[in-house]
Amino acid sequence: MTTSPELNLVFPAYSYKVKKNEGKLYIFDEISTKYRLLTPEEWVRQHCINYLVKHLNYPASLFQIERGMKVDKLNRRTDIRIYNTQGDVFMLIECKAPQVELNLETLQQISQYQKTQQANYLVITNGLHSHIFNKSSEILSDFPSYS
């Protein structure tokens, strides 16, 4: 899968590994060190992870992918959870497919996760646009540095 000229991701291109199994494409996830079904959402997630680790120097060892949690007695999973070195949640990232609009519904989804996680930063991205918020709900223009 390549990025078409019409699809300008906010994340830089990188050399990813894909494989085909039973007619389906899978992309290698460097964090969990396994192949994941290559969906449009997974494409965005892997580009986001690569950007944070390779370009912004976020420590890959502090990432968790699809981590489960309870929210209002319901089982939920965060796409990307990044911790600080003290073990607190530094950032929650919700990834959507490029064709999914980032709207109030997507913001409410990650806000529900914030009830239990209390992350310093919340991010929703569809690869074309990213909305980044700090704990005070202020909108940031770019990902914060990890320090």
Side-chain angles (χ1 to χ4, degrees):
M1 177 179 246
T2 60
T3 304
S4 71
E6 308 85 49
L7 190 62
N8 294 315
L9 293 179
V10 294
F11 306 115
Y14 74 101
S15 296
Y16 47 86
K17 295 185 230 172
V18 292
K19 72 176 185 178
K20 196 171 193 176
N21 187 10
E22 297 181 7
K24 294 180 182 178
L25 283 176
Y26 293 81
I27 189 167
F28 188 71
D29 178 356
E30 298 281 342
I31 301 298
S32 62
T33 64
K34 68 179 184 180
Y35 282 88
R36 295 183 179 277
L37 182 62
L38 182 51
T39 63
E41 181 179 312
E42 192 63 44
W43 180 249
V44 171
R45 178 170 39 199
Q46 293 308 316
H47 276 77
C48 181
I49 290 169
N50 178 269
Y51 175 67
L52 294 173
V53 173
K54 303 292 184 186
H55 295 266
L56 297 183
N57 299 314
Y58 281 46
S61 62
L62 298 178
F63 280 61
Q64 285 189 331
I65 307 303
E66 292 193 342
R67 178 69 178 201
M69 66 180 156
K70 289 267 191 200
V71 177
D72 297 330
K73 299 182 182 177
L74 299 172
N75 291 323
R76 300 285 185 224
R77 284 192 296 186
T78 53
D79 286 327
I80 303 171
R81 195 181 304 178
I82 305 168
Y83 292 88
N84 63 24
T85 54
Q86 291 77 39
D88 301 316
V89 180
F90 175 73
M91 183 181 291
L92 292 175
I93 304 173
E94 181 62 29
C95 298
K96 298 295 182 187
Q99 68 272 16
V100 174
E101 183 181 347
L102 301 182
N103 56 24
L104 184 58
E105 185 179 324
T106 53
L107 182 57
Q108 287 174 334
Q109 180 182 2
I110 201 164
S111 295
Q112 290 294 310
Y113 300 164
Q114 181 69 344
K115 283 182 182 181
T116 61
Q117 299 302 300
Q118 296 301 304
N120 293 333
Y121 299 96
L122 299 176
V123 178
I124 54 176
T125 185
N126 64 5
L128 303 174
H129 306 282
S130 295
H131 298 302
I132 305 160
F133 305 90
N134 66 15
K135 219 172 193 174
S136 304
S137 299
E138 297 168 320
I139 299 171
L140 306 178
S141 59
D142 202 356
F143 283 87
S145 65
Y146 188 92
S147 53

